[in-house]
Amino acid sequence: MNVAGFIFLLSLHLGVFQIGYGRNASTRPAVVNIGAMFNFDSIIGRVAKIAIDEALKDVNSNSSILKGTKLSVTLQDTNCNGFLGMVEALRYMATDVVAIIGPQCSVVAPIISHVASELRVPLLSFAATDPTLSSLQFPFFVRTAQSDLYQMTAVADIIDHYGWKEVIAIFIDDDWGRNGVSALNDKLAERRCKISYKVGIQPDSSVTQGAIMDILVKVALMQSRIVVLHLNQIVGFKVFSVANHLGMMGNGYVWIATDWLSLVLDSESPLPSETMDKIQGVLTLRQHTTDSDRKRAFFARWNRIIGGSPQLNAYGLYAYDTVWLLAHSLDAFFNQGGVISFSNDSRISSMAGSALHLEAMSIFDDGVLLLKNILLSDFVGLTGPLKFNSDRSLILPAYDIINVLGTGIRQIGYWSNYSGLSTVSPETLYTKPQNRSSANQKLYSVIWPGETLSKPRGWVFPNNGKLLRIGVPNRVSYKEFVSQVRGTDMFKGFCIDVFTAAVNLLPYAVPYKFISFGDGRKNPSYTELVNKITTGEFDAVVGDIAIVTNRTRIVDFTQPYVSSGLVIVAQLEKERSGAWAFLQPFSRRMWIVTGSFFLIVGIVVWILEHRINDEFRGPPKQQVITILWFSFSTMFFAHRENTMSTLGRLVLLVWLFVVLIINSSYTASLTSILTVEHLSSPIKGIQSLAATNEPIGYQEGSFTERYLSEELNISRSRLVSLGSPEAYALALKRGPGNGGVAAVVDERPYVELFLSSQCTFKVVGQEFTKSGWGFAFPRDSPLAIDMSTAILALAENGDLQRIHDKWLMQSTCSLESTEIETNQLNLSSFWGLFLICGIACIIALLIYFLQILQQLPPAPESASITGQDSSHSRRLRRFLSLMDEKEEQSRSGQKRRKVDNERDDEFGS
């Protein structure tokens, strides 16, 4: 039984093994059918066809990759035209293939991706770069090249690197072109740049030069000189030809072409000289592929096979790697037990008999498993690492930046999503910490259109006959700053002269005209004037425009040409001296510290003189009186007690110097208080003004009202609008009790001009805001930057000060101290003297106490019997006794104690 059972189990085991082996063998068929659809007659298609054939040869000859299974590719020539391309693609989908390489055209990709998702057939496109082809909408679409999203990011970084703010985009008017430009606009917006004008061109080759000329004529009339071309090669070279004819390939222009231009330069080089002459100085991008020995060997192999045109380009390398990507994924698919089988879709079967023969389409049963293995691929191909991130995009996107020069091209740097612009290859930067700081963004020098190395400014004034519309406030007061010449459209004033002087320093002409804002009866609202820029009514605003926070949010200002800030003007009253005026020279703290030092110095001198000077001895009451008398008599240098000790004389010398300084300062301050007429105001600053309930004046039309009410929470009912300097003076003279105001709050330039003729008013308190005046321009206006540079030049060469002196130096009364402060002397002015005196006292006392301690006799040995505490108390009493004894008595007593101690020692022995 045991032998029979063993034989039975053995046979059962072998049978099961054979069945399992047959199942595994069935999952690896001899041939796997894949498809490829692209335009055979395009530059990409011609290169891709050869690259795919070479990749098939390499895969099928490598027994380690698919372990005996061969790949078979069925090629389908599809038109990039939307409708025809879709019909051809749908017809091709009827064949049973496990994956499709393609499509090439982004226009065809969406409809094919929808069908592929239903049939569960992965699409591996090496050329459809439309950034909207996302994995969420098309789960079976896999892009094996870089998305145009990264290319447009690179273009935006280049524009930002050179400081340009506006660009013009010319694109193919289909989904690929529109979506690419939309991505560019988003990336520019992240860098505070924008597309100022964009125009589409019909995608077919029948577009005429006349239509292109109409477009470029409009472009030439625009302000921006930065043109981005997102076209195909047929239309792109027509645009360059017309631009060259119109003189738009010369100085001042910047042309940036996407990778369609580098594709032609790589594939069909050398181009005819007449073609190269039309694209001199153009920048273009090329998908970056890692430099490696395998890549160089493949290029050599390509040259041996082709021997001419077409030459290998980046898309050919991606097509080659796509075949290997699919081979690796199929190998993993088979290792996981994947089976190639197809089943009919009941929804499609119900349409049998239609002319489209849709029933021929079938679903790939294990398509999801194959797609999973494709997205998990991780190997190194000719283009570099092939690995997908969570967004199903290839990792480490990068581009080469190329400058067309002479008969060829010159690479000026790289762009990578890892580190931005660099002159170092991305592979080197990947080994270093990420650094996208502006200082790290570098490119080599560029030969721009017109054969110049100077970076183009990037913009000009539109050559459309229009003048720059500049709004100017029509003031009725303070016309020294800006005013309209009666009966004309001309303006004059300090601000106008500064503007015209700055414009004259610009390296280009600025055609402009001034437009008056205001009715001429009252000062206009400057906030409304600035808002006119955002509505497009004005192109700029010139005048005494304060640079404040709410305005900087909507416009750009130039460098300030005048420093400004809010100050308080009040009427001053004569200050009368009272019965206690003699206390005013010193502050309360100064009086306390001075009096304390008088007592301290008296006590210190008494301690130092008590033992040797009979004038500092006597009954306790007399000694206290002596201390007080001596202390305060030094104020008048009338002390009659003589100092005998060296330390006492040192302390007294320092103290008399301090008293001399204090007396002189007190006398001078008191004399000023009693003899000089003083003007004062109860308002000491913005805090004291805000704390009252009295009315406050402000200049009509200025931002002061908003600042006082919104920032300082002062009730608007307290604010009084004043329209002229005369109204300022009248309201201040009347005062708050007679329908006037307690103070006027205005900007310093106006106040200085007001006080030049009104000497009874002064600025009280400190300037409580800091700002300036500038000229306003639209956000990101390049003219604002150039005008700022011109204003700085005016300040450096002295012209700004000369203009200021011409209009604003009209003072008729002295502008003395613009701030009312107390005349009291504070402790902060004398603390150094008190510190020196205190240190002298402390040093003298320390030396004196050390001398006393040296005179103390040593404690007798018998003292240890009575305990340590009684010994300390005796030494303290003896120390105090020595300080109170006169020095002669102390010395005789020391001699007697010495004789007694010697006698005690003899008796003890």
Side-chain angles (χ1 to χ4, degrees):
M1 290 292 295
N2 292 336
V3 176
F6 174 78
I7 295 172
F8 173 78
L9 292 175
L10 180 60
S11 62
L12 180 62
H13 173 74
L14 291 175
V16 172
F17 177 78
Q18 291 174 355
I19 294 172
Y21 179 80
R23 167 64 178 166
N24 187 56
S26 67
T27 61
R28 283 190 177 269
V31 177
V32 175
N33 293 321
I34 60 176
M37 55 173 64
F38 49 85
N39 186 355
F40 293 171
D41 195 33
S42 64
I43 294 178
I44 294 178
R46 289 194 295 269
V47 174
K49 186 175 184 298
I50 301 172
I52 291 174
D53 289 340
E54 294 303 312
L56 282 175
K57 294 177 184 177
D58 293 342
V59 169
N60 290 333
S61 63
N62 191 334
S63 59
S64 64
I65 181 66
L66 284 174
K67 301 177 179 61
T69 300
K70 304 296 183 182
L71 289 182
S72 176
V73 178
T74 304
L75 300 178
Q76 174 66 42
D77 185 8
T78 57
N79 195 314
C80 282
N81 179 277
F83 176 73
L84 294 178
M86 284 185 253
V87 172
E88 293 168 351
L90 287 174
R91 186 185 304 166
Y92 183 61
M93 296 294 289
T95 60
D96 291 338
V97 290
V98 299
I100 297 176
I101 299 175
Q104 171 189 334
C105 303
S106 297
V107 177
V108 182
I111 187 64
I112 304 303
S113 298
H114 280 299
V115 177
S117 298
E118 294 295 331
L119 302 181
R120 301 175 196 168
V121 176
L123 285 178
L124 290 83
S125 178
F126 59 88
T129 57
D130 188 339
T132 62
L133 295 173
S134 67
S135 58
L136 295 177
Q137 186 178 6
F138 310 112
F140 276 78
F141 176 82
V142 179
R143 194 190 335 259
T144 58
Q146 300 297 346
S147 169
D148 275 344
L149 176 66
Y150 299 112
Q151 181 173 205
M152 296 307 173
T153 305
V155 173
D157 276 346
I158 292 172
I159 292 169
D160 184 55
H161 173 70
Y162 288 110
W164 301 316
K165 294 299 181 181
E166 295 184 4
V167 303
I168 296 172
I170 303 176
F171 58 94
I172 285 293
D173 195 11
D174 58 13
D175 290 344
W176 171 76
R178 287 188 294 268
N179 295 333
V181 170
S182 177
L184 174 62
N185 192 46
D186 293 340
K187 294 302 177 181
L188 288 173
E190 294 175 4
R191 293 153 180 81
R192 290 194 64 181
C193 305
K194 65 178 182 179
I195 297 176
S196 59
Y197 179 71
K198 58 184 178 180
V199 58
I201 299 178
Q202 60 188 43
D204 55 17
S205 59
S206 62
V207 59
T208 63
Q209 288 193 346
I212 295 175
M213 184 171 292
D214 292 341
I215 292 173
L216 293 184
V217 167
K218 293 181 180 179
V219 169
L221 297 178
M222 300 293 170
Q223 174 175 289
S224 176
R225 285 295 181 261
I226 315 300
V227 185
V228 177
L229 299 181
H230 190 46
L231 306 168
N232 58 42
Q233 59 270 21
I234 298 175
V235 178
F237 280 105
K238 287 184 178 181
V239 170
F240 280 130
S241 177
V242 176
N244 188 71
H245 175 72
L246 294 175
M248 299 174 65
M249 298 301 297
N251 287 335
Y253 281 90
V254 175
W255 294 84
I256 302 176
T258 51
D259 62 351
W260 64 267
L261 180 57
S262 65
L263 175 66
V264 178
L265 294 172
D266 289 341
S267 304
E268 299 183 355
S269 182
L271 295 177
S273 59
E274 58 271 16
T275 302
M276 294 297 297
D277 290 341
K278 297 174 183 177
I279 58 174
Q280 292 296 302
V282 176
L283 294 183
T284 184
L285 289 86
R286 175 176 58 201
Q287 296 199 40
H288 176 74
T289 56
T290 303
D291 190 20
S292 63
D293 293 337
R294 286 185 57 201
K295 176 181 170 182
R296 287 190 289 270
F298 190 76
F299 266 92
R301 174 181 166 187
W302 182 277
N303 292 331
R304 288 194 304 270
I305 295 172
I306 305 303
S309 183
Q311 299 177 24
L312 184 60
N313 55 46
Y315 287 101
L317 295 175
Y318 279 113
Y320 181 89
D321 281 349
T322 301
V323 176
W324 275 94
L325 172 66
L326 188 54
H328 283 287
S329 303
L330 284 170
D331 188 49
F333 171 80
F334 291 136
N335 289 337
Q336 295 172 12
V339 178
I340 296 179
S341 62
F342 297 88
S343 59
N344 294 327
D345 189 342
S346 59
R347 294 171 299 175
I348 298 178
S349 300
S350 61
M351 301 179 184
S354 65
L356 292 176
H357 302 288
L358 297 178
E359 68 278 3
M361 297 183 183
S362 55
I363 298 174
F364 180 24
D365 296 327
D366 279 346
V368 176
L369 179 60
L370 178 57
L371 176 65
K372 177 182 177 182
N373 284 286
I374 290 173
L375 297 176
L376 293 176
S377 297
D378 187 3
F379 72 98
V380 178
L382 295 181
T383 58
L386 268 78
K387 185 179 179 180
F388 297 95
N389 57 23
S390 58
D391 295 330
R392 297 189 180 184
S393 298
L394 288 177
I395 62 171
L396 305 178
Y399 284 84
D400 301 333
I401 304 174
I402 297 170
N403 182 204
V404 179
L405 180 63
T407 59
I409 59 177
R410 171 175 169 263
Q411 186 166 333
I412 62 170
Y414 305 88
W415 177 90
S416 67
N417 199 42
Y418 182 77
S419 57
L421 301 174
S422 174
T423 55
V424 181
S425 67
E427 288 74 26
T428 302
L429 297 176
Y430 295 150
T431 62
K432 300 178 181 179
Q434 188 175 16
N435 184 1
R436 296 209 60 166
S437 64
S438 58
N440 201 49
Q441 306 298 298
K442 299 177 181 179
L443 291 174
Y444 290 120
S445 59
V446 179
I447 305 297
W448 303 100
E451 299 182 356
T452 177
L453 284 170
S454 301
K455 185 199 78 172
R457 189 170 68 245
W459 68 278
V460 295
F461 280 97
N463 188 20
N464 52 13
K466 295 182 179 179
L467 300 177
L468 201 66
R469 298 164 300 171
I470 299 179
V472 182
N474 188 5
R475 295 190 59 88
V476 296
S477 63
Y478 295 113
K479 293 189 175 182
E480 292 85 350
F481 293 105
V482 58
S483 64
Q484 187 171 6
V485 179
R486 185 182 300 272
T488 68
D489 294 334
M490 300 174 62
F491 286 81
K492 64 180 182 178
F494 168 70
C495 302
I496 301 300
D497 281 4
V498 172
F499 175 77
T500 55
V503 168
N504 291 334
L505 290 180
L506 297 178
Y508 47 85
V510 180
Y512 64 88
K513 64 176 179 180
F514 290 134
I515 301 176
S516 175
F517 179 78
D519 56 12
R521 293 188 295 271
K522 63 179 182 179
N523 292 335
S525 170
Y526 279 46
T527 300
E528 293 181 7
L529 174 59
V530 173
N531 286 334
K532 295 294 183 180
I533 296 178
T534 62
T535 61
E537 185 171 339
F538 292 143
D539 299 315
V541 168
V542 169
D544 45 342
I545 312 298
I547 304 173
V548 293
T549 305
N550 64 323
R551 295 173 184 172
T552 58
R553 296 192 181 103
I554 59 176
V555 297
D556 280 351
F557 282 94
T558 62
Q559 172 79 15
Y561 60 90
V562 169
S563 61
S564 179
L566 292 178
V567 294
I568 302 172
V569 180
Q571 186 173 21
L572 304 181
E573 299 176 355
K574 293 182 180 180
E575 191 177 80
R576 297 181 179 180
S577 58
W580 300 96
F582 67 90
L583 295 177
Q584 293 181 9
F586 286 167
S587 64
R588 179 180 300 178
R589 183 178 298 179
M590 182 67 182
W591 279 116
I592 294 173
V593 173
T594 303
S596 300
F597 261 84
F598 273 109
L599 294 176
I600 292 171
V601 171
I603 294 172
V604 170
V605 173
W606 176 84
I607 293 174
L608 299 175
E609 296 290 324
H610 180 67
R611 295 186 69 224
I612 61 175
N613 194 338
D614 290 336
E615 294 182 356
F616 288 88
R617 300 186 62 82
K621 180 178 179 181
Q622 181 181 349
Q623 295 183 46
V624 171
I625 294 174
T626 300
I627 291 173
L628 295 175
W629 166 254
F630 178 82
S631 300
F632 290 100
S633 64
T634 58
M635 181 186 303
F636 311 103
F637 305 98
H639 54 284
R640 64 187 179 186
E641 294 81 5
N642 295 319
T643 53
M644 301 178 61
S645 67
T646 303
L647 294 175
R649 290 173 178 175
L650 175 64
V651 171
L652 185 60
L653 179 64
V654 174
W655 174 242
L656 290 178
F657 175 74
V658 174
V659 170
L660 175 65
I661 300 300
I662 292 176
N663 275 342
S664 302
S665 302
Y666 177 85
T667 303
S669 180
L670 183 61
T671 302
S672 175
I673 291 174
L674 296 178
T675 61
V676 178
E677 182 181 66
H678 286 272
L679 302 176
S680 66
S681 171
I683 301 171
K684 304 302 179 183
I686 188 61
Q687 289 80 10
S688 62
L689 180 62
T692 66
N693 290 320
E694 296 176 342
I696 303 171
Y698 68 92
Q699 185 181 167
E700 184 180 34
S702 73
F703 73 97
T704 309
E705 179 188 16
R706 185 200 62 82
Y707 182 84
L708 294 176
S709 61
E710 296 182 9
E711 301 295 334
L712 301 182
N713 296 320
I714 296 177
S715 174
R716 290 184 182 271
S717 60
R718 294 178 54 191
L719 304 180
V720 179
S721 176
L722 303 174
S724 65
E726 293 76 16
Y728 284 17
L730 181 60
L732 288 171
K733 288 178 181 178
R734 286 180 176 177
N738 297 317
V741 296
V744 172
V745 177
D746 204 352
E747 296 178 74
R748 180 172 288 278
Y750 301 121
V751 170
E752 290 177 348
L753 194 60
F754 170 70
L755 295 180
S756 66
S757 59
Q758 299 287 341
C759 302
T760 58
F761 308 104
K762 290 290 182 181
V763 172
V764 295
Q766 297 284 350
E767 187 177 56
F768 56 93
T769 66
K770 294 290 184 181
S771 62
W773 290 355
F775 305 131
F777 291 89
R779 292 297 296 270
D780 301 321
S781 171
L783 185 57
I785 300 174
D786 290 351
M787 286 292 289
S788 295
T789 304
I791 290 172
L792 289 175
L794 289 175
E796 292 172 357
N797 61 24
D799 288 345
L800 189 60
Q801 184 62 42
R802 283 188 285 271
I803 297 173
H804 176 274
D805 296 343
K806 170 186 174 183
W807 289 97
L808 305 180
M809 291 295 290
Q810 301 177 3
S811 178
T812 58
C813 61
S814 175
L815 289 178
E816 298 174 350
S817 174
T818 57
E819 183 179 345
I820 304 303
E821 293 183 349
T822 178
N823 290 318
Q824 285 186 334
L825 299 175
N826 296 311
L827 179 61
S828 59
S829 302
F830 298 93
W831 70 268
L833 290 173
F834 288 121
L835 179 63
I836 294 173
C837 184
I839 293 174
C841 292
I842 293 172
I843 293 175
L845 290 176
L846 288 176
I847 296 174
Y848 176 75
F849 290 149
L850 289 174
Q851 293 174 348
I852 296 296
L853 290 174
Q854 289 178 354
Q855 297 178 17
L856 282 177
E861 296 179 359
S862 58
S864 60
I865 303 175
T866 61
Q868 189 73 19
D869 294 339
S870 60
S871 175
H872 287 315
S873 63
R874 282 197 302 271
R875 286 180 64 85
L876 179 61
R877 288 195 299 271
R878 185 60 191 153
F879 177 79
L880 296 176
S881 177
L882 278 175
M883 289 183 61
D884 189 50
E885 290 180 358
K886 195 169 183 180
E887 188 170 357
E888 292 82 0
Q889 298 176 358
S890 176
R891 289 176 180 174
S892 62
Q894 288 178 359
K895 292 180 180 179
R896 288 196 300 269
R897 283 191 294 275
K898 185 176 182 182
V899 172
D900 293 340
N901 290 337
E902 291 177 352
R903 290 176 179 175
D904 291 341
D905 292 340
E906 292 176 357
F907 177 78
S909 60

